Each structure stands twice: as C-alpha cells, then as structure tokens.
Amino acid sequence: MLQNDYIHINDLVEKVKNNDTNALWELFDFYKPVINICVNKVHQKYTSVEREDLFSECIFVLKDLCSKFDSEKSYFSLQKEVYIIYVEQMQSFLE
C-alpha cells in the first residue's frame, strides 16, 4: 500500500511538472496536514498575514518543489527536510 502511495504521488508530481492543475490540487489535498503545519509556523512569525494568504502562497511553493524534484534520486515527500525548505520558501514570499 505505501509503495503504491509513493508511486501515485510521484505520478502526480510528474503531471504537475507538465502543468496539470488537477494533479497539483490533488497533491495539495494529500499534503494538507503538512501544509497546515507550515502555515501555522509561518503565521506565528508573521501574524499580520492572513492564513488564507499563506495557503494561497503554498500552492506556488508546492509547484516550485515539484518542478525541482528528481524522481531518479528518491520519492517525493514533504518530510522534515522538505518541510524546512517549504517554510523557508513561504517566508521568502513574505519578505
């Protein structure tokens, strides 16, 4: 089952690289719990920014992460390392 999830996620990432917006939103929904954590962390630092605005920026960050992903190296995942990059990129959008 877990292997199938990784394969499905990688397929979605490849579709996102080819500008498939439905795949991007499906990926966004899959990672929504992680995205919520990122939004909360950034919102703690930038309290004047609305959470909805942060969520809007997240879709651009997610697309950027997909474009940089190399499936030859590993599976796509928003694990700890990517989470840190994700938060840093969200913060850079705000500065």
Side-chain angles (χ1 to χ4, degrees):
M1 180 70 171
L2 187 59
Q3 180 70 16
N4 289 339
D5 285 346
Y6 282 125
I7 291 169
H8 181 65
I9 294 301
N10 279 1
D11 288 343
L12 288 174
V13 170
E14 290 304 318
K15 289 178 181 178
V16 170
K17 286 181 174 184
N18 291 314
N19 296 316
D20 183 331
T21 56
N22 290 330
L24 180 60
W25 286 108
E26 185 175 343
L27 201 59
F28 183 86
D29 287 341
F30 182 84
Y31 283 110
K32 204 165 203 172
V34 175
I35 292 169
N36 278 327
I37 291 169
C38 294
V39 165
N40 288 336
K41 183 168 178 64
V42 172
H43 185 51
Q44 287 174 353
K45 185 172 181 181
Y46 300 97
T47 56
S48 63
V49 179
E50 296 292 326
R51 278 188 167 86
E52 292 77 24
D53 293 338
L54 294 173
F55 274 108
S56 297
E57 294 297 329
C58 285
I59 201 69
F60 298 111
V61 173
L62 184 58
K63 187 173 183 179
D64 184 52
L65 290 174
C66 288
S67 71
K68 294 176 181 175
F69 173 69
D70 183 356
S71 62
E72 298 294 319
K73 294 182 179 177
S74 69
Y75 292 110
F76 185 84
S77 177
L78 292 179
Q79 297 287 326
K80 182 180 178 182
E81 296 81 15
V82 176
Y83 164 78
I84 292 167
I85 293 167
Y86 199 77
V87 169
E88 288 173 355
Q89 285 187 356
M90 285 178 58
Q91 289 174 339
S92 72
F93 280 126
L94 299 172
E95 295 177 345

